[in-house]
Amino acid sequence: MASRRRGPGPSSVLITPDCAGNVVGVDPHKRTVSASVADPRGGIVATEHFRVSGDGHRALEVWAGQFGPIARWGVEGASSWGRHTAIFLIARGYDVRDVCANRTPRSDRARQRGKSDQLDSERIARETLAHPLLPKAFKRAGQDRGPDEHHELLALRHNQRRSILTSRQHLINEAEHLLSSLPLELSEQLPDSTAVRPRLTALAHRNRRRRYDRPTALRLTLLDDYRTQIARLDDEDQQVTRELAVLVRASGSTLGALCGLSTVLVSELLVEVGDPRRFTIGGFARFNASAPLAASTAEGPGEPVRHRYNPGGNRRVNRALHLMAVTQLRCEPRAQALYENARARGHTKKEARRILKRHLSDVVYRRMIRDLAERAADRPLLAA
């Protein structure tokens, strides 16, 4: 009996009667954009450079339109350097896709073709043509276009907190180095702890009348400054976390009701995922790398089908799922039962935890879809 193989699903190729035309790849920079027009077969028609301005964007649209109808635009980094270009094109009614920067350089640069703005825009155009399921700009789905105001507020606050954590960790590392270089008679008076903050606090209560050599005195002055800056960043972190909590509540998300998801993790999920409707439930698992990769060969009757760990995907979402899984293994009976069942089937501890993460990916996706449906149902009531 011949086995039935599942196909890749409906095609979204651009050479169809209702959706035919060229593809434009845009490589944005701080003040200029480079654009290449590719025909439906992948041939490069033309390449040109424009200024990042209203006049430049209008000239870009006129230039690209002279070669025929445009089926799709691909903008590298549509939420960063290509933001203004993407917003302009979306306002004109075009289908704009976000091309991740790490997708384009692998193949051509491996063949030593080099790098230039022209080559990059050509790669972006061909990437947009070859992968019609690229995400829409600004993580949108359906008929929604352009950036979402609430999502942008969440992203700004979330990135602010990440910057605070990075700056604080840098100061802590610098303070750790200075503490290790203090004289032994002074360091032995500090708490026997690897944590930096308790030692900085104890150092602040030292006898300031005692005189030290000039390098040691400078180290102590710097450590006092670090203690003040770290305390200030701690306060800023708490303030931004409170702001994130307000934004999460305003979003209507109920992810915080799930065991193992804090306010910070919920905000990270909302920022990284965007509109969950742009994924299927399996596509969401591939997006966050909780879905394993196929790793089989010589498959046949009775032969095992193997899978392996997926190192790709969105690692921030994967980290949130990992922390959620670790927390649920301590206090959630259903997660513990799922983990133990996987262990009983012969899986290792790591494999069993990944099975739990795969299950939690579906839980998070269904909850986000449900929240979105409830908000859509409430909107007509509010408008009335």
Side-chain angles (χ1 to χ4, degrees):
M1 179 178 177
S3 61
R4 296 180 60 186
R5 297 199 56 172
R6 191 173 180 180
S11 174
S12 299
V13 293
L14 303 180
I15 312 176
T16 59
D18 58 337
C19 182
N22 297 326
V23 172
V24 184
V26 179
D27 181 31
H29 300 279
K30 189 174 182 179
R31 295 184 176 87
T32 62
V33 293
S34 301
S36 290
V37 178
D39 61 29
R41 296 184 178 182
I44 301 300
V45 178
T47 300
E48 192 55 81
H49 311 280
F50 302 90
R51 301 287 296 177
V52 178
S53 63
D55 292 338
H57 288 149
R58 285 187 286 272
L60 167 64
E61 181 186 18
V62 172
W63 170 82
Q66 68 180 330
F67 302 105
I70 300 173
R72 184 168 298 166
W73 295 72
V75 180
E76 185 179 77
S79 297
S80 55
W81 291 116
R83 173 183 174 83
H84 299 298
T85 305
I87 290 176
F88 171 83
L89 295 173
I90 289 172
R92 296 287 187 172
Y94 292 107
D95 181 6
V96 182
R97 301 304 175 104
D98 190 359
V99 182
C100 186
N102 63 6
R103 294 182 67 101
T104 54
R106 296 175 182 170
S107 59
D108 281 355
R109 292 185 194 174
R111 297 183 176 91
Q112 307 298 321
R113 282 196 63 191
K115 181 187 183 305
S116 68
D117 293 345
Q118 176 178 343
L119 289 175
D120 285 346
S121 62
E122 292 177 4
R123 291 162 182 154
I124 294 167
R126 290 194 171 109
E127 188 74 16
T128 307
L129 180 64
H131 299 279
L133 298 181
L134 284 173
K136 290 189 175 182
F138 305 110
K139 302 180 181 179
R140 306 291 277 176
Q143 299 301 318
D144 295 335
R145 295 176 177 273
D148 178 69
E149 180 179 305
H150 193 80
H151 183 269
E152 286 203 309
L153 291 174
L154 266 172
L156 288 171
R157 287 298 186 187
H158 183 68
N159 291 336
Q160 180 187 7
R161 184 176 181 274
R162 287 174 57 85
S163 178
I164 291 173
L165 296 183
T166 301
S167 300
R168 185 174 63 187
Q169 189 59 51
H170 174 74
L171 292 174
I172 290 174
N173 293 341
E174 291 288 333
E176 174 69 31
H177 175 72
L178 290 177
L179 286 169
S180 65
S181 60
L182 290 175
L184 286 178
E185 61 271 15
L186 186 56
S187 61
E188 288 175 352
Q189 300 175 15
L190 303 179
D192 187 13
S193 172
T194 58
V196 172
R197 286 183 179 86
R199 287 182 284 168
L200 289 177
T201 302
L203 202 61
H205 297 89
R206 69 185 183 274
N207 182 6
R208 296 182 179 272
R209 295 182 178 180
R210 181 177 174 181
R211 301 184 65 84
Y212 299 96
D213 59 88
R214 293 176 63 185
T216 301
L218 180 56
R219 288 189 181 96
L220 293 173
T221 301
L222 293 174
L223 286 170
D224 288 338
D225 293 340
Y226 285 158
R227 178 177 58 83
T228 303
Q229 294 180 56
I230 290 172
R232 177 178 57 81
L233 290 174
D234 288 340
D235 294 339
E236 291 183 11
D237 181 20
Q238 295 175 7
Q239 176 62 30
V240 173
T241 302
R242 288 192 291 268
E243 295 288 344
L244 281 173
V246 173
L247 290 171
V248 168
R249 286 195 298 270
S251 71
S253 174
T254 61
L255 287 175
L258 298 176
C259 176
L261 287 181
S262 64
T263 299
V264 172
L265 290 181
V266 171
S267 66
E268 186 156 48
L269 286 172
L270 294 177
V271 169
E272 295 297 327
V273 174
D275 192 336
R277 295 174 300 177
R278 62 197 185 106
F279 303 106
T280 62
I281 192 168
F284 181 69
R286 290 189 292 273
F287 166 74
N288 60 49
S290 62
L293 295 176
S296 296
T297 185
E299 294 180 9
E303 295 295 329
V305 178
R306 299 181 178 86
H307 295 82
R308 66 174 178 85
Y309 165 70
N310 186 351
N314 189 306
R315 304 313 300 177
R316 295 179 183 175
V317 179
N318 190 278
R319 170 182 171 273
L321 293 175
H322 173 78
L323 295 176
M324 186 181 180
V326 170
T327 303
Q328 290 202 4
L329 284 176
R330 292 200 302 263
C331 56
E332 176 57 54
R334 290 173 295 180
Q336 294 168 354
L338 194 151
Y339 177 84
E340 293 300 331
N341 289 338
R343 293 284 288 138
R345 295 196 303 269
H347 292 284
T348 65
K349 292 181 179 180
K350 287 185 177 181
E351 290 171 345
R353 191 165 58 244
R354 290 170 190 154
I355 291 173
L356 175 59
K357 283 171 59 177
R358 177 65 182 86
H359 169 74
L360 293 178
S361 171
D362 292 351
V363 171
V364 169
Y365 176 80
R366 293 191 185 102
R367 180 62 67 98
M368 296 184 77
I369 292 293
R370 191 187 74 181
D371 291 342
L372 196 63
E374 290 179 353
R375 290 199 299 273
D378 289 341
R379 262 190 219 111
L381 298 177
L382 294 174

